[in-house]
Amino acid sequence: MDLFGFPWHYRAMRQSQLFTKTRKEAPSDEVAKNAQLLIRAGYAYKVMAGVYAYTPLGLRVLEKIKQIVREEMNTAGGQEIVMTSLQKKSTWEGTGRWDDAVVDVWFKSKLKDDTEVGLAWSHEEAILEMMQSFIKSYKDLPASVYQFQTKLRNELRAKSGIMRGREFVMKDMYSLHTTKEDMDMYYDKIIDAYKKCYERFGIGESTFVTFASGGAFTKFSHEFQTICDAGEDVLYVNEDQSVAVNEEVLDDATHELGIDKTVLKPVKSAEVGNIFKFGTEKSEKMGIYFTDSEGAQRPIYLASYGIGITRVMGVVVEKFADDKGIVWPASIAPFQVHLLGLGEDMADADRVYQDLIDAGVEVLYDDRTGVMAGEKFADADLLGMPTRIVISKRSLENGGAEVKGRTRSEGEIVPLTNLIAHVQKTH
């Protein structure tokens, strides 16, 4: 296995064997830039508004995002699980959230025996219900569990591509505690872990911990918002970017913080994560308790933490794409290198491809025959790998391979004998 959990042979791929194809035009009904580019490049396939399938290239990006999150959640003490998508009506009735007037995004159905079920839009209640089978005493707490799962939400509008889907992949984590103080400490720990995630995604500098409307336990919750012109939210940020407030709570939050709201400037942003403190509200409603050190029954404190995996992918595309196509940060790019073999004789390119594989470099090799050089260049820009390497008669006559970073205007000739070392130094 490599660093991201892919089998070794999956680090490399020949483009001639990739079943997806690039296309010049996006579907006419797709208005979001992120989805337009992902569909054109063959990372995603649109099933309907707000519903997308992901191809081998798209899956690699999602798996890399997930792996970064997994590493940070494990470091913070989280244990990975997988919950079910089918949810029991009774699980949610205790907190009132089965009621469509309270939660209006449910997809609901019935089993053959007429039992009502819901398709999971979240898992707070379901997690508490499961954990009560394992947590009986204060000695069993704290506990933190997380999952990567497809959520289903019957959104009224889904016009932002994969940034707002009716079906989407999310990391949701839930921590259970004996006291408010312990919950607060862990909550702050996860804020730091989330910051590390966004830094590793390549969007840390433009992502802020933001005051937003609260849950049942606190007046304010926190969102992680990334400055993005295609975002659906408005943030108010101060000059040194140390304070960020969602527009929906601007007056309340600035009053709470004791700052003049006129010093905050509005920017468009996209939510890429959110965290909530529910306290004991849910456990009390559901009748879920633990036995404390004195033998008394106490309600469990609960907090939840979400990162939109597919949403992060869409935000990254929106933020970094240029007029030629996608620009992936190296940390989540499907491949680090896009190798282009030009001309009919690609023996030298074949050798470089094998050298890159042997060196452990993730490489997509455009070995297609009968495809003009201009089309290969255009496809490489659209697909957005961090580094492009061209092996052609001209590059060899000039002394080796032409190497160019995705955002650079000019490439450089690197001797084949130095190519691997050059690539490894770059990445």
Side-chain angles (χ1 to χ4, degrees), residues 88-260:
K88 295 185 299 179
K89 177 182 178 180
S90 60
T91 303
W92 297 85
E93 284 182 315
T95 59
R97 296 212 292 174
W98 182 258
D99 187 344
D100 291 340
V102 179
V103 175
D104 62 358
V105 293
W106 274 110
F107 282 106
K108 295 178 179 178
S109 186
K110 288 186 177 181
L111 302 181
K112 291 289 187 180
D113 62 3
D114 251 7
T115 300
E116 282 190 275
V117 294
L119 301 179
W121 66 279
S122 189
H123 278 84
E124 287 94 350
E125 281 81 344
I127 286 285
L128 271 178
E129 188 175 71
M130 182 189 81
M131 294 299 280
Q132 72 175 335
S133 297
F134 304 100
I135 293 174
K136 305 297 184 183
S137 161
Y138 71 97
K139 295 179 181 179
D140 301 322
L141 294 167
S144 177
V145 294
Y146 73 93
Q147 64 174 340
F148 298 99
Q149 207 211 46
T150 299
K151 305 292 191 203
L152 295 153
R153 294 183 183 176
N154 195 2
E155 296 279 4
L156 180 63
R157 55 192 176 89
K159 296 182 179 180
S160 298
I162 67 170
M163 289 168 59
R164 178 183 287 274
R166 294 187 169 103
E167 180 177 336
F168 58 94
V169 179
M170 180 180 179
K171 186 283 304 182
D172 45 326
M173 182 163 78
Y174 307 90
S175 65
L176 293 77
H177 308 268
T178 57
T179 65
K180 176 183 182 300
E181 291 73 24
D182 190 60
M183 178 184 68
D184 289 345
M185 277 198 322
Y186 194 73
Y187 189 86
D188 291 341
K189 184 177 182 179
I190 298 303
I191 287 178
D192 290 336
Y194 269 37
K195 289 178 180 178
K196 291 176 184 176
C197 288
Y198 297 116
E199 287 170 5
R200 293 178 66 182
F201 299 153
I203 55 176
E205 290 186 359
S206 57
T207 299
F208 300 93
V209 184
T210 305
F211 285 88
S213 58
F217 186 63
T218 55
K219 186 173 184 180
F220 301 108
S221 66
H222 293 94
E223 294 173 344
F224 290 80
Q225 293 269 358
T226 302
I227 294 176
C228 176
D229 289 339
E232 297 179 337
D233 294 316
V234 176
L235 280 191
Y236 279 77
V237 183
N238 66 346
E239 188 173 357
D240 67 3
Q241 299 185 335
S242 60
V243 176
V245 178
N246 193 304
E247 183 180 45
E248 65 181 3
V249 294
L250 180 60
D251 290 334
D252 285 344
T254 52
H255 176 75
E256 183 87 5
L257 295 168
I259 60 175
D260 181 359

Side-chain angles (χ1 to χ4, degrees), residues 101 106 189 285 313 371 407:
W106 274 110
K189 184 177 182 179
K285 286 183 176 180
M313 182 181 183
V371 179
T407 58

Side-chain angles (χ1 to χ4, degrees), residues 76-92:
Q79 299 181 55
E80 187 170 357
I81 62 173
V82 177
M83 297 293 286
T84 65
S85 291
L86 282 177
Q87 296 287 303
K88 295 185 299 179
K89 177 182 178 180
S90 60
T91 303
W92 297 85

Side-chain angles (χ1 to χ4, degrees), residues 309-323:
I309 303 300
T310 43
R311 181 174 290 192
V312 166
M313 182 181 183
V315 169
V316 167
V317 173
E318 289 281 351
K319 279 194 67 67
F320 299 123
D322 59 19
D323 59 354

Side-chain angles (χ1 to χ4, degrees), residues 314-419:
V315 169
V316 167
V317 173
E318 289 281 351
K319 279 194 67 67
F320 299 123
D322 59 19
D323 59 354
K324 295 180 180 178
I326 296 169
V327 179
W328 293 116
S331 61
I332 63 172
F335 296 95
Q336 298 303 301
V337 169
H338 199 164
L339 173 65
L340 277 59
L342 304 184
E344 295 305 311
D345 184 2
M346 288 193 282
D348 291 297
D350 287 341
R351 283 191 289 271
V352 169
Y353 178 55
Q354 189 59 53
D355 289 343
L356 290 166
I357 292 174
D358 293 342
V361 177
E362 294 179 310
V363 54
L364 176 64
Y365 176 26
D366 191 343
D367 62 333
R368 296 174 296 172
T369 58
V371 179
M372 301 295 290
E375 184 176 345
K376 289 193 174 187
F377 289 141
D379 281 353
D381 284 337
L382 177 60
L383 289 166
M385 310 306 163
T387 300
R388 187 188 76 189
I389 297 176
V390 176
I391 305 293
S392 65
K393 181 179 180 181
R394 177 182 296 179
S395 74
L396 294 170
E397 288 174 348
N398 288 333
E402 182 191 69
V403 181
K404 187 181 86 67
R406 171 61 181 81
T407 58
R408 293 185 176 275
S409 57
E410 300 291 336
E412 61 178 312
I413 297 296
V414 177
L416 297 186
T417 53
N418 299 339
L419 183 60

